[in-house]
Amino acid sequence: MSRPFDHEALWMKAKLFLNRAMDDDFRSFDEQALWAALALELLAKAALARVSPLLIAEPNEEGTNLLIASGLVKGDARFTSVRAKTLMARCHRAFKPFDQAEAMKIINGRNEYLHSSGAGFMAIPPHAWWPRYWAQAAILVTALDRDIEELVGGDRERVVTKHLEQNAKNLEQRTEALIERAKQRRQQQLEGTLPAKVAAEWKTGQYLAAQMAHSEAATCPACGSVGLLEGEEIVNTEVHYPSSSGYGLDEEYDSDYVNDVSVTLTIGADYFSCPACQLVLSSYDLIRQAGVETDFDVEGDAEEYLAQEPEYGND
């Protein structure tokens, strides 16, 4: 019997579910979408578990799931994984450009389909749903160092490729539409022809921004004005220490030493806004498609970083 967190077993189960999801001749779209949504969660678990089973273990007071995932507890103990929302959030951080918001639309559609009287998957037509689905699933397949053919087989790979091409075209068209509309708004504002209703909805930079933890000025791809690039995730930390001259080896770090240490944080961009033309690019994919930098550097807190460093002693 395979372990419940084994990434190979999760991958095989995802393949089984997607085989059912792609049975056009035997299943309705809502049933196909249900199997596909279940497969997406399995792919997310497999991608994370391949890095470490601890990433999918639900923590509890006794730590049973973490102990099972670490291999310290064996036998008949039951293993519980984290919720789908947590899985998607972790994949969003770990496997760029996986989009947590898009993935959760699929998961929420599944939940609505199963647990409520809502439309579930039927709210989006199949020709629009599948490209969005495969855009996220393909990223998880790549994170597993696999390819689409391994997942669905050679005969069905062409179907998936068409969906991926359609999604890329949709992303390109969406980005172009956002930029062109922003250009139009900016021109109308400069000429004084902006409709009153649009003018009333105009937002200043403070209210247009997402108020994320980190930000940096960036050139707007629509109007060339100064916009704001924002992000939450720290993708890299670089610490710059002062030269050893002037500091005794046996001395504690003093305030002068701390002042000479600097920390550079590289932040993954997730949101761009421009108050001059009201352009908003609300995802990594849109930012990348628009040609805006997908990460930026900010200064970190040296004191905070040094306080987190482990202390080494001779006792």
Side-chain angles (χ1 to χ4, degrees), residues 206-254:
Q206 177 185 358
Y207 296 103
L208 194 65
Q211 306 295 328
M212 292 185 173
H214 307 282
S215 62
E216 182 188 60
T219 302
C220 176
C223 70
S225 300
V226 178
L228 192 67
L229 195 59
E230 300 179 69
E232 297 280 358
E233 181 185 359
I234 300 172
V235 296
N236 187 52
T237 301
E238 187 173 348
V239 184
H240 311 280
Y241 294 98
S243 61
S244 59
S245 59
Y247 299 97
L249 295 176
D250 297 329
E251 296 177 3
E252 294 288 336
Y253 289 156
D254 59 21

Side-chain angles (χ1 to χ4, degrees), residues 173-214:
Q173 291 173 340
R174 172 65 175 160
T175 306
E176 182 180 1
L178 288 169
I179 290 175
E180 290 303 315
R181 177 64 184 123
K183 289 179 178 179
Q184 184 185 59
R185 279 194 303 265
R186 178 61 171 163
Q187 188 63 32
Q188 288 177 316
Q189 186 200 41
L190 293 174
E191 294 176 351
T193 59
L194 195 67
K197 184 177 181 180
V198 177
E201 296 172 350
W202 203 271
K203 297 179 181 179
T204 62
Q206 177 185 358
Y207 296 103
L208 194 65
Q211 306 295 328
M212 292 185 173
H214 307 282

Side-chain angles (χ1 to χ4, degrees), residues 5 26 36 48 65 70 72 74 89 94 107 118 137 140 143 170 197 207 212 214 217:
F5 50 80
F26 304 103
L48 290 168
N65 297 312
S70 65
L72 293 174
K74 302 184 186 301
I107 298 301
L140 297 177
N170 288 340
K197 184 177 181 180
Y207 296 103
M212 292 185 173
H214 307 282

